[in-house]
Amino acid sequence: MQHTVQFLLSAVSAAQFPAPGVPEVAFLGRSNVGKSSLLNTLVGARAAKVSSTPGRTRAINFFAIAGERRMPKMVFADLPGYGYAKISKSISATWPAFIEPYLAERGTLALCVCLVDANVPARANDRQLFEWLRGLDRTFVVAATKVDRLSGNQRTRNLAVLKRELGLEEILPVSAKTGDGIAELWRRIAKAGAGE
Ligand code: GDP
């Protein structure tokens, strides 16, 4: 599916966020989880830069997405990857201070797409993020990335373990490489964008 994607701006403080308008979808995950690759596959264009140096982007990058028929107009917010650093009181010690207020207070934020790597064991900071989003009453969907690296059996096993350890009812398997799960993820995004 081809979408029109337009880079809006890169914000490093709350004062720089775009004026709230159409529904927003935020993309979150640890550095190197495959967030840029997934974003590029989702929009069918090179929107996000696939980094060779994990964790370098410290800004929220906003993109306007215009879809085909039935696809509502939306803004995608690409959040900085949270890190390998030890847990602090904050969700991640490596997150800039304006990220948590964005997630907590942004009125137009319709959906958080949270990414975990299907090949990597569950991490405490992922779990902590989901608990925090639940506490905020945010709608979120968790997708497990890079499932193309796993055989069918491994995939089923890893997803079941991740679900259990992260306390989730559902994880969507996705691959930026093969396109697996992308249509389903788009369905969730479109639903949220339509206010459902
Ligand atoms: P980010 O730091 O979360 O934005 O992650 P990137 O999109 O830059 O990807 C991190 C690394 O994982 C890169 O080496 C990508 O080529 C690789 N990667 C990302 N998505 C996939 C995927 O779906 N399948 C496989 N096999 N590798 C992936």
Side-chain angles (χ1 to χ4, degrees):
M1 214 187 305
Q2 193 71 33
H3 296 83
T4 316
V5 53
Q6 186 197 358
F7 175 74
L8 290 175
L9 57 86
S10 217
V12 293
S13 72
Q16 296 175 346
F17 295 161
V22 298
E24 285 175 16
V25 179
F27 291 82
L28 300 104
R30 288 159 44 81
S31 303
N32 216 34
V33 72
K35 182 158 56 64
S36 309
S37 305
L38 185 73
L39 272 164
N40 291 335
T41 299
L42 270 174
V43 300
R46 279 188 61 80
K49 191 164 167 282
V50 179
S51 57
S52 50
T53 325
R56 258 185 40 198
T57 327
R58 312 307 299 150
I60 301 184
N61 294 307
F62 290 90
F63 301 89
I65 309 290
E68 302 172 331
R69 294 158 291 147
R70 287 186 298 153
M71 184 63 71
K73 279 197 179 128
M74 279 174 288
V75 162
F76 281 6
D78 181 11
L79 270 62
Y82 49 93
Y84 303 93
K86 61 178 173 1
I87 306 292
S88 72
K89 267 193 190 158
S90 153
I91 300 304
S92 165
T94 59
W95 245 357
F98 61 97
I99 306 296
E100 289 179 34
Y102 171 80
L103 291 170
E105 291 158 21
R106 184 78 167 170
T108 43
L109 180 55
L111 177 70
C112 296
V113 176
C114 303
L115 306 178
V116 295
D117 190 325
N119 304 263
V120 173
R123 300 290 171 138
N125 54 1
D126 290 323
R127 198 191 162 94
Q128 199 184 5
L129 172 66
F130 306 149
E131 280 167 9
W132 185 69
L133 290 173
R134 269 189 209 110
L136 291 171
D137 229 4
R138 281 295 186 201
T139 305
F140 66 93
V141 58
V142 180
T145 61
K146 311 183 195 180
V147 292
D148 57 276
R149 288 190 183 161
L150 297 166
S151 71
N153 283 343
Q154 280 177 312
R155 185 187 295 204
T156 309
R157 196 169 53 235
N158 284 18
L159 291 175
V161 172
L162 279 173
K163 249 167 65 175
R164 192 179 65 234
E165 294 187 346
L166 293 170
L168 300 167
E169 278 174 22
E170 179 193 47
I171 297 191
L172 296 181
V174 295
S175 166
K177 199 167 172 180
T178 61
D180 267 15
I182 299 299
E184 181 56 30
L185 184 54
W186 257 126
R187 268 192 288 279
R188 306 304 179 93
I189 291 171
K191 252 176 91 172
E196 288 169 25

